[in-house]
């Protein structure tokens, strides 16, 4: 089907679509520091200084169910989108609810935004993929692959194509095999579909797009690259443990955490270009490349910065066992932000990107052990943790 609101989509695009995420943790700001519902009359807090405790600009209860894989929050222009049922959009400056829709998508849906449209699997389990206008919550796009396919799930998007994985229904309505497909983001028509290897799973897929390369990992511990125009598989290889979460595509390389190593593979031929190790019995977390620098943490509480082209380390901050390390990163101006997995000694951290020195930590005081997520936009950071969504001043 054709898009019903192209002009609105272009306006949203011109306003700027952003998606930067982070993770889970704890320690710093207690409940006494938390403001109530924010609004236009709430004064904006000043930028926190080194070592100080940041005060939220606004904070609200969320409907987040804890099921999102990596991307549970997104910023599109001045709109904050938070995964949950109902799906809620808020104004990033004030925290005011802009719109809310119940039963619009499946539990744990990823906030996948491309060209000003939010793409979701339909909550009706009817084989549809839908596109929403983030500014209004209204449907603007819809696609259906056909009755022989079960529950197409969006995994990646670029300007022209939405990439989905769907089960192939057999006579008993089971899905022993599945396909990966590309759908035109204007017409909703399927451009190509390719059957995946036997034994591969529909779940646990993390995907990125770089030019004409669709790159993804899965629970079967493969790294696979396909041509985005034809769907042809260029190469695939088994690479072992811990590759089924976040990874980076940067300057012709796929960079991922693989146990004790961070490894970089050439997108053209799959050859390993470089790797570096952390200490024995430690494991790396998800990497990120921000402003041309690779950042990654390890389970020994270390924080690393390296050249993504060569893997050569810029610095290694060994950190402290008293401070949880990030599983995701974002960088705004001259501050590096990280969000941690667990709550006791983590939360949202702010670092000096030239050294890894910790400036401050924000925690909501809830004690909940769910991971943190973070999105950055304009002059606010928006953190999601369990049942709270919180805006923090950037700095």
């Amino acid at each position: 089907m054709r898009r019903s609101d192209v002009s609105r989509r272009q306006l949203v695009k011109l306003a700027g679509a952003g998606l930067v995420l982070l993770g889970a943790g704890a320690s710093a700001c207690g409940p006494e520091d938390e403001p109530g519902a924010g609004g236009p009359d709430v004064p904006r807090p000043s930028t926190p200084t080194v070592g100080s405790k940041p005060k939220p600009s606004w904070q609200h209860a969320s409907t987040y169910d804890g099921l999102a894989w990596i991307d549970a929050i997104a910023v599109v222009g001045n709109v904050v989108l938070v995964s949950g049922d109902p799906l809620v959009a808020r104004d990033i400056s004030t925290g005011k609810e802009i719109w809310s829709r119940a039963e619009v998508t499946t539990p744990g849906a990823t906030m996948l935004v491309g060209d000003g449209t939010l793409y979701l699997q339909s909550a009706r389990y009817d084989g549809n993929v839908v596109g929403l206008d983030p500014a209004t919550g209204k449907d603007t796009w819809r696609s259906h692959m056909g009755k022989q396919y079960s529950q197409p799930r969006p995994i990646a998007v670029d300007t022209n194509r939405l990439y989905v994985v769907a089960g192939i229904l057999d006579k008993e309505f089971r899905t022993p095999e599945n396909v990966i497909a590309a759908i035109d983001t204007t017409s909703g028509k399927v451009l190509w579909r390719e059957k995946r290897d036997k034994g591969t799973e529909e779940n646990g897929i993390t995907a990125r797009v770089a030019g004409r390369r669709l790159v993804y990992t899965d629970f079967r511990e493969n790294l696979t690259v396909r041509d985005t125009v034809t769907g042809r598989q260029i190469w695939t290889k088994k690479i072992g443990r811990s590759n089924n979460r976040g990874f980076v595509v940067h300057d012709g390389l796929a960079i991922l955490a693989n146990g004790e190593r961070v490894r970089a593979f050439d997108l053209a031929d799959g050859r390993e270009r470089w790797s570096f190790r952390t200490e024995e019995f430690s494991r790396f977390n998800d990497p990120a490349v921000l402003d041309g620098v690779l950042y990654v943490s390890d389970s020994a509480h270390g924080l690393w910065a390296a050249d993504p082209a060569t893997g050569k380390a810029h610095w290694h901050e060994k950190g402290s066992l008293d401070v949880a390390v990030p599983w995701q990163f974002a960088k705004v101006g001259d501050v590096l932000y990280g969000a941690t997995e667990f709550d006791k000694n983590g939360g949202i951290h702010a670092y000096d990107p030239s050294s890894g020195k910790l400036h401050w930590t924000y925690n909501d005081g809830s004690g909940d052990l769910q991971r943190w997520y973070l999105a950055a936009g304009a002059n606010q950071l928006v953190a999601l943790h369990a049942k709270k969504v919180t805006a923090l001043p950037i700095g």
Side-chain angles (χ1 to χ4, degrees), residues 70-86:
I70 297 178
D71 303 336
I73 186 170
V75 171
V76 187
N78 69 333
V79 178
V80 178
L81 301 167
V82 180
S83 178
D85 187 17

Side-chain angles (χ1 to χ4, degrees), residues 35-361:
D41 298 326
V42 176
R44 186 178 305 283
S46 60
T47 297
T49 58
V50 174
S52 68
K53 183 192 304 183
K55 294 184 179 297
S57 305
W58 52 259
Q59 187 173 76
H60 292 279
S62 79
T63 59
Y64 179 54
D65 54 20
L67 298 177
W69 184 237
I70 297 178
D71 303 336
I73 186 170
V75 171
V76 187
N78 69 333
V79 178
V80 178
L81 301 167
V82 180
S83 178
D85 187 17
L87 179 65
V88 176
R90 295 187 180 277
D91 185 284
I92 192 171
S93 298
T94 66
K96 181 180 179 181
E97 183 177 301
I98 300 173
W99 55 263
S100 174
R101 285 188 60 180
E103 299 181 352
V104 70
T105 189
T106 54
T110 291
M111 299 292 95
L112 183 61
V113 179
D115 199 23
T117 297
L118 173 65
Y119 293 98
L120 300 166
Q121 179 182 352
S122 171
R124 296 181 179 273
Y125 294 95
D126 53 7
N128 282 311
V129 179
V130 297
L132 272 60
D133 180 350
T136 65
K138 295 181 179 179
D139 291 6
T140 59
W141 183 89
R142 185 173 296 265
S143 180
H144 194 284
M145 286 183 60
K147 293 182 179 180
Q148 67 271 43
Y149 299 101
S150 171
Q151 307 312 317
R153 185 175 62 260
I155 59 170
V157 64
D158 58 25
T159 303
N160 302 309
R161 303 170 191 86
L162 176 69
Y163 304 93
V164 302
V165 170
I168 304 173
L169 290 168
D170 64 13
K171 293 180 180 179
E172 283 73 39
F173 297 98
R174 299 171 303 181
T175 56
E177 297 180 289
N178 60 84
V179 298
I180 189 165
I183 301 173
D184 188 287
T185 55
T186 299
S187 67
K189 293 181 179 179
V190 177
L191 300 174
W192 54 258
R193 60 173 68 88
E194 294 288 330
K195 183 183 292 187
R196 298 177 67 216
D197 295 340
K198 281 192 174 183
T200 56
E201 300 177 16
E202 297 176 55
N203 298 312
I205 295 175
T206 304
R208 302 284 184 263
V209 183
R212 283 194 58 164
R213 298 291 181 264
L214 172 65
V215 190
Y216 57 94
T217 62
D218 56 59
F219 276 149
R220 289 288 182 174
E221 301 170 346
N222 302 295
L223 177 63
T224 303
V225 175
R226 291 183 180 272
D227 187 292
T228 58
V229 176
T230 66
R232 179 179 64 89
Q233 183 170 292
I234 299 170
W235 56 265
T236 187
K237 61 172 54 185
K238 291 192 177 298
I239 54 174
R241 303 168 63 190
S242 71
N243 66 76
N244 60 336
R245 223 171 60 168
F247 68 96
V248 177
V249 288
H250 176 76
D251 199 19
L253 298 175
I255 305 171
L256 52 85
N258 193 200
E260 296 178 359
R261 290 194 292 164
V262 174
R263 306 172 71 185
F265 297 90
D266 194 304
L267 294 181
D269 55 21
R271 286 192 293 172
E272 185 171 322
R273 294 301 180 184
W274 57 256
S275 71
F276 62 84
R277 289 182 178 273
T278 184
E279 60 189 74
E280 192 176 7
F281 306 120
S282 180
R283 297 165 62 84
F284 279 112
N285 299 309
D286 301 355
V289 175
L290 304 167
D291 289 345
V293 178
L294 170 68
Y295 298 100
V296 65
S297 67
D298 61 38
S299 59
H301 292 248
L303 188 62
W304 303 66
D307 183 343
T310 65
K312 183 178 180 181
H314 296 319
W315 49 258
H316 174 205
E317 171 59 49
K318 294 186 178 181
S320 166
L321 294 179
D322 295 329
V323 179
V325 292
W327 73 286
Q328 288 186 326
F329 298 89
K331 187 170 181 286
V332 182
D334 57 356
V335 180
L336 176 68
Y337 297 96
T340 66
E341 289 273 14
F342 301 112
D343 197 77
K344 183 179 179 181
N345 296 309
I348 302 300
H349 294 321
Y351 300 95
D352 182 340
S354 66
S355 66
K357 180 182 178 181
L358 181 64
H359 287 337
W360 52 256
T361 298

